[in-house]
Amino acid sequence: MSTDVRLVRAEDYPAVASILNHGEDEDHQVAAGDLQRLDVLWARRDSAFRRVVSVADGAIVATGYVCSSWGGVTEPGRFWVNVATSHDRPHHSSDVAVFDDLYRSLDGAAREVWTCTREDHARHLTYLERFGFTERFRSWGAHLALDSFDPSRWTGLVERLATEGVRLVPYPDLDGDAARAAKLTALQDALEADVEHFEPIVPKRIADVIGPETIHEALVVAVAPDGSYVGLACLLGSRSDASLACGLTGVLPEHRRRGIATALKARTAEIARGWGAEELNAGGGGGADAPMVRVNRAIGFGIEAPWVTYAKVV
Ligand SMILES: CC(C)(COP(=O)(O)OP(=O)(O)OC[C@H]1O[C@@H](n2cnc3c(N)ncnc32)[C@H](O)[C@@H]1OP(=O)(O)O)[C@@H](O)C(=O)NCCC(=O)NCCS
């Protein structure tokens, strides 16, 4: 059997998209035409960008690309690769051949090579071990279908917190508090000190909770009996979006494990559902056991297979 690695051609994109879409849920499906357009744009912006395919007996059995940045962040000497193999036929280490081609295209410029892939996909990738990649960080993605979300499940929890003096207050209803902005900024700073992060996969700070990316009506604050702010959850995007992103969720350490995060997050889901949104998407750092994953799971979010970041230092 002859295997050949070459630059992708226009007619390869349906096969490339089919490899990338295998086993992916609806949110992560990519159309061949869109992928091709994105590749063209990417190549214009990034001179290191290169997508190749591995062809065996006339069929495309693997694909991969190399680029010089992730999430808009570029580090001198750091490159990112992404390799995927076809699941419906033996791939004969075609991923090794794809990586080898991408790596050689860097022509000695790489100090380190990174990749971020889902654990269930990584199982098919022999090049990770062959070329000495090591695991650096785990992250997670989660999705909540709002038509199956029942806010009444959380009424008892909210009532219990109210008897303990903890109120869940949307940001606009705090406008009588002259210190609102300063208190929220201080709360965000304190919470972010605890967020499991790993640049640039999960940045320490994404957006200010009172900034323009946050939908202010869906920024819910947990207020203690003394008027201090002890936790928050928020949604990003705009009210008319069918799909909304979850922003920072956090509770100060001395108030954790009382159900406050669960109640806050459930309240944001209730607000989004009331607007007719269909889905909430969340993501963050840590493994399947991270406290935020447990809170999301309790609320009814489906949790993706873990994402793993690997690095190879040259
Ligand atoms: C993640 C985080 C928000 C969770 O906040 P929290 O208020 O402690 O969460 P909850 O109390 O709702 O739920 C956490 C656990 O407490 C449990 N719990 C809830 N009420 C409880 C009670 N009365 N007594 C004991 N445990 C309770 C929950 O069942 C849950 O248990 P589990 O972890 O075994 O599933 C908090 O740890 C945090 O702020 N971390 C730093 C910021 C961060 O990392 N945010 C995520 C990135 S956006």
Side-chain angles (χ1 to χ4, degrees):
M1 188 184 79
S2 66
T3 305
D4 179 32
V5 177
R6 59 163 171 76
L7 281 175
V8 68
R9 296 175 188 150
E11 64 269 25
D12 298 333
Y13 276 92
V16 169
S18 144
I19 289 176
L20 299 179
N21 288 335
H22 181 90
E24 292 288 2
D25 57 34
E26 233 172 78
D27 291 332
H28 294 107
Q29 296 287 315
V30 59
D34 292 342
L35 184 65
Q36 188 179 356
R37 275 188 291 281
L38 284 172
D39 277 5
V40 170
L41 285 176
W42 210 341
R44 265 190 220 141
R45 285 199 315 254
D46 183 347
S47 59
F49 181 79
R50 171 184 172 89
R51 181 184 289 284
V52 297
V53 291
S54 169
V55 185
D57 294 336
I60 292 175
V61 293
T63 181
Y65 66 77
V66 62
C67 63
S68 67
S69 67
W70 178 282
V73 178
T74 307
E75 287 275 336
R78 179 183 297 170
F79 293 89
W80 293 83
V81 295
N82 182 288
V83 180
T85 57
S86 168
H87 289 243
D88 61 2
R89 50 178 290 158
H91 38 73
H92 302 288
S93 297
S94 49
D95 63 311
V96 171
V98 165
F99 176 75
D100 198 39
D101 178 278
L102 296 171
Y103 187 64
R104 277 188 288 112
S105 76
L106 298 175
D107 201 21
R111 195 169 38 82
E112 43 191 54
V113 185
W114 292 48
T115 189
C116 181
T117 189
R118 247 173 47 185
E119 192 182 45
D120 49 342
H121 297 173
R123 278 188 216 119
H124 303 280
L125 298 174
T126 47
Y127 84 88
L128 291 169
E129 205 171 326
R130 179 85 67 91
F131 288 95
F133 280 79
T134 52
E135 181 176 329
R136 292 295 180 87
F137 183 65
R138 287 199 163 224
S139 45
W140 51 270
H143 311 277
L144 178 68
L146 288 168
D147 60 356
S148 59
F149 172 72
D150 177 8
S152 69
R153 266 184 69 205
W154 306 105
T155 310
L157 171 60
V158 174
E159 284 171 2
R160 195 239 309 140
L161 289 172
T163 62
E164 295 169 10
V166 177
R167 294 177 297 128
L168 308 183
V169 188
Y171 173 81
D173 295 348
L174 292 167
D175 61 353
D177 182 351
R180 174 178 71 163
K183 283 161 78 176
L184 279 169
T185 302
L187 179 60
Q188 179 169 7
D189 289 346
L191 296 173
E192 281 179 341
D194 275 359
V195 170
E196 199 159 343
H197 70 102
F198 185 79
E199 307 288 340
I201 302 289
V202 177
K204 192 173 179 70
R205 191 171 194 122
I206 305 171
D208 287 340
V209 293
I210 50 173
E213 288 178 48
T214 301
I215 311 173
H216 285 171
E217 299 91 330
L219 165 57
V220 185
V221 183
V223 183
D226 63 1
S228 62
Y229 299 174
V230 299
L232 61 81
C234 58
L235 298 178
L236 312 178
S238 80
R239 281 180 64 147
S240 55
D241 293 344
S243 186
L244 292 165
C246 299
L248 177 65
T249 302
V251 172
L252 291 175
E254 55 275 31
H255 295 277
R256 287 182 191 157
R257 299 194 65 82
R258 299 172 60 188
I260 294 177
T262 306
L264 285 167
K265 192 110 193 222
R267 182 78 188 101
T268 62
E270 183 181 359
I271 291 169
R273 193 175 192 271
W275 291 336
E278 291 165 16
E279 185 188 46
L280 297 189
N281 300 303
D289 204 30
M292 197 63 235
V293 174
R294 296 205 297 263
V295 167
N296 284 333
R297 195 178 281 122
I299 289 173
F301 279 76
I303 314 294
E304 291 176 22
W307 287 83
V308 189
T309 304
Y310 298 88
K312 163 191 165 66
V313 176
V314 177

